[in-house]
Amino acid sequence: MEDVARVAGVSHQTVSRVLNNHPNVSSKTRERVEKAITELGYRRNTAARSLVTRRSQTIGVLGSEMAQYGPSHTLLGVQQAAREAGYFVSVAGLREVTPETIRDAMAHFMDQGVDGVVVTVPHPGTFDVLKDITAQVPLVAVGSIGDEHLAGATVDQRQGARLAVEHLLELGHQRIGHLSGPSDWIDAAARIEGWRDALTEAGIEPVTLIEGDWSAECGYREGLKIAADRSLSALFVANDQMALGVLRAFNELGVRVPEDISVVGFDDQPESAYFIPPLTTVAQDFEELGQRCIGLLLDRLESGTTGTPATVEPRLVVRSTTAPASN
Amino acid sequence: MEDVARVAGVSHQTVSRVLNNHPNVSSKTRERVEKAITELGYRRNTAARSLVTRRSQTIGVLGSEMAQYGPSHTLLGVQQAAREAGYFVSVAGLREVTPETIRDAMAHFMDQGVDGVVVTVPHPGTFDVLKDITAQVPLVAVGSIGDEHLAGATVDQRQGARLAVEHLLELGHQRIGHLSGPSDWIDAAARIEGWRDALTEAGIEPVTLIEGDWSAECGYREGLKIAADRSLSALFVANDQMALGVLRAFNELGVRVPEDISVVGFDDQPESAYFIPPLTTVAQDFEELGQRCIGLLLDRLESGTTGTPATVEPRLVVRSTTAPASN
DNA sequence: ATCAATGTTGTGAGCGCTAACAATTGCATC
DNA sequence: GATGCAATTGTTAGCGCTCACAACATTGAT
């Protein structure tokens, strides 16, 4: 920085002022300094800067299942938005979610001195572990996490589930089962609720609830049972991967989709349009979710305001796994 | 730190020594200092530390298509290994790959003062953009990138493709086509070569090469054409997603798999076992790839040695889309 | 008892930057 | 031309840490 100052014929402080866009710098000086900067290829030292400002310009992303469709796309959005705002993004993916691993990762972030953390861990217990840390660093959660204090951006999962079930209802289905995610996942719980609500409102008692684990394998296993049983006329599956397994099981046992049973998924991964048959599902925009989260976090960091949590609306995508009820 | 020193009754320098595991600290003093540290909940300030050491303990990950199966799992491995070694991981995902976006992201990393960068951008041009930066910061690439100087860990894609084609050959297939990835992707090119090699060695001229774009949609589109044509007895598809589209197209036009045509994919995503029918494919361990990369990079950073690039072997997974040739 | 060699601890400087304050300049006004 | 005020620039200190070196114990050999 001293070098730049010398070349531009000013003091190091003026260089600093130019770098930080201070108002009181004459335009000629500013130009001269900027010229010197590009000339020397000068880059300001982040470490020194954060030593004195006490901000690292870094945002931590704490997540689990980071390689899955949802989380990885959320990360994409978070990362893009953060970088555009001049922040660095530090990632800690949890291999397994326990209070200990969460604390470890948070300690890692505190060591780094992150300015804020985005949490993408859709398990309920998470909040309890996090709440004592909240005081130390601004936290924003993707999806509800059990406490609206932390809430960042969420997709209205419940509404998404309703959309799916109401579509089935409109087609005349009555016996609509639900293959859910693990019930200790917040998103899974919300989708179960949506399914229940829609059925109850239609005057149908929600009976067939099967708890799955998100995996295609589990979808296959449960699909086999459902196919053997044949009591359902439609099935709402909590994600596209399980739906894939279900479709496979039905195919194997000669249960035709959608003639014998209708199926609706959740997520709308790009592949879902190429399932056999193409899957009717509920789309949610994970990237936008991530971007909104960063928006909220930056608001909090830079202006101190606690903005209102953003909600991203899910969208029903009708393809070929749903048809009018046959009975 | 001064506080810790006071509580332990030593100088700040001794505290620093304990923190850095210097040999010449008596065990009583060390204990006393450690006690003071936990007592006060002291965490050393990373910014101050990197200001003087000129190392940020941060590794940058530059990647494209970060939400895809391969890259996201590689990131998982990289991130895990780096964190275990006490490094922070900063991510920059490229939305589109151009010299400009690559330079931008690298500038971002240089600003941050990363100690090293892992590159996961499987497009050839990448190397040319990167080579002038190599001097400034250690670089390691996942997959070959056009220059073994940068090579980190690679899966032997060519070998994987051979495995696939040889399997088909053993089943008696002769007319084996290849639906490849975009030919300007390094991995796609390697798989094309493997396909070519295996056929040539078997005395068969490799004729039917169709260039795809990795997407299920493209697999579907091309699958439709291949089904209409019916000149192929087997098809090697460069990834599982395209294979999904192909399967769907064949199903739609009544081409039976594997009776009428055999199909082999590449990647072995967890879903592939639940395609209709379950996909024979080539598995590669992306997480290990990432871990190996970090291993190599840390060697270079900490001991200055340039280790030999690691190679991860792909593995053929035979499921139900391949059967003996019928003719 | 003396000395050197070793192990252990303390002292001072400075990494590159920004915040607070001090000093200078330009300009309109009397 | 002198005065005051704002706009612009320079000066100093210090963020929290590690490095190089100085100082002090401790030990064993002479």
Side-chain angles (χ1 to χ4, degrees), chain A residues 137-219:
Chain A
V137 65
L139 276 182
V140 161
V142 177
S144 47
I145 196 172
D147 182 278
E148 64 263 20
H149 191 65
L150 295 180
T154 32
V155 170
D156 191 342
Q157 307 282 341
R158 195 159 162 179
Q159 172 61 13
R162 292 181 76 111
L163 248 33
V165 177
E166 279 164 9
H167 169 61
L168 257 15
L169 251 14
E170 275 166 27
L171 290 171
H173 291 279
Q174 300 268 327
R175 289 161 293 124
I176 303 174
H178 179 36
L179 174 54
S180 77
S183 58
D184 64 338
W185 280 55
I186 299 164
D187 293 350
R191 289 173 206 175
I192 292 174
E193 273 180 43
W195 165 74
R196 241 182 219 135
D197 288 357
L199 286 188
T200 311
E201 268 172 37
I204 301 173
E205 202 191 342
V207 278
T208 317
L209 172 63
I210 305 159
E211 186 173 328
D213 66 4
W214 298 129
S215 75
E217 194 215 322
C218 158

Side-chain angles (χ1 to χ4, degrees), chain B:
Chain B
M1 187 151 109
E2 205 63 58
D3 299 343
V4 175
R6 205 174 313 114
V7 170
V10 296
S11 75
H12 64 126
Q13 174 58 356
T14 301
V15 177
S16 170
R17 271 191 274 258
V18 170
L19 252 20
N20 294 317
N21 289 314
H22 268 260
N24 293 343
V25 181
S26 75
S27 48
K28 313 144 219 164
T29 317
R30 162 161 286 132
E31 248 170 56
R32 209 138 35 85
V33 171
E34 270 161 1
K35 184 154 155 283
I37 287 175
T38 52
E39 207 166 275
L40 297 177
Y42 165 79
R43 325 220 69 146
R44 142 170 79 178
N45 181 315
T46 311
R49 185 172 148 80
S50 38
L51 178 57
V52 57
T53 58
R54 299 159 167 289
R55 312 181 111 254
S56 59
Q57 300 288 2
T58 301
I59 288 172
V61 178
L62 174 65
S64 58
E65 285 82 27
M66 294 297 274
Q68 300 273 11
Y69 180 74
S72 65
H73 279 266
T74 306
L75 175 60
L76 218 59
V78 161
Q79 181 268 125
Q80 197 79 21
R83 190 141 58 91
E84 270 162 25
Y87 278 79
F88 304 109
V89 173
S90 180
V91 182
L94 268 27
R95 203 174 281 279
E96 57 175 330
V97 182
T98 67
E100 207 171 306
T101 56
I102 294 178
R103 257 191 290 266
D104 266 12
M106 285 304 295
H108 180 78
F109 284 148
M110 305 308 289
D111 280 347
Q112 195 177 8
V114 297
D115 294 341
V117 174
V118 174
V119 182
T120 334
V121 183
H123 303 265
T126 311
F127 167 64
D128 298 324
V129 184
L130 253 30
K131 66 182 167 195
D132 21 330
I133 300 170
T134 317
Q136 299 178 47
V137 65
L139 276 181
V140 161
V142 177
S144 48
I145 196 171
D147 180 280
E148 65 262 23
H149 192 64
L150 295 180
T154 33
V155 170
D156 191 342
Q157 307 283 342
R158 195 159 159 179
Q159 173 60 13
R162 292 180 75 111
L163 248 35
V165 177
E166 279 163 8
H167 169 61
L168 258 13
L169 251 14
E170 276 165 26
L171 290 171
H173 292 279
Q174 301 269 325
R175 289 160 294 123
I176 303 174
H178 179 36
L179 174 54
S180 77
S183 57
D184 65 338
W185 281 55
I186 299 162
D187 293 349
R191 290 173 205 174
I192 293 174
E193 272 180 44
W195 165 73
R196 241 183 219 134
D197 288 356
L199 286 188
T200 311
E201 269 171 35
I204 299 172
E205 203 191 343
V207 279
T208 317
L209 173 63
I210 305 159
E211 187 174 329
D213 66 4
W214 299 130
S215 76
E217 194 214 323
C218 158
Y220 175 67
R221 213 179 330 111
E222 298 301 333
L224 249 25
K225 292 187 209 158
I226 293 167
D229 189 51
R230 303 228 170 197
S231 66
L232 255 29
S233 85
L235 182 66
F236 166 45
V237 186
N239 76 346
D240 286 0
Q241 280 179 61
M242 285 198 294
L244 176 68
V246 166
L247 254 28
R248 164 85 207 297
F250 287 178
N251 177 274
E252 202 171 294
L253 295 194
V255 173
R256 295 165 307 161
V257 177
E259 293 84 353
D260 299 331
I261 184 167
S262 285
V263 175
V264 181
F266 209 109
D267 275 356
D268 192 32
Q269 311 180 193
E271 287 76 31
S272 306
Y274 298 91
F275 286 0
I276 301 174
L279 186 68
T280 294
T281 188
V282 178
Q284 42 184 340
D285 191 337
F286 288 104
E287 273 193 54
E288 184 173 350
L289 206 58
Q291 286 165 1
R292 295 285 196 90
C293 250
I294 287 296
L296 221 64
L297 186 57
L298 293 189
D299 277 359
R300 197 172 302 179
L301 286 177
E302 283 165 11
S303 53
T305 55
T306 307
T308 44
T311 308
V312 178
E313 286 304 313
R315 203 176 76 253
L316 182 72
V317 179
V318 179
R319 285 197 275 252
S320 317
T321 52
T322 45
S326 50
N327 55 339

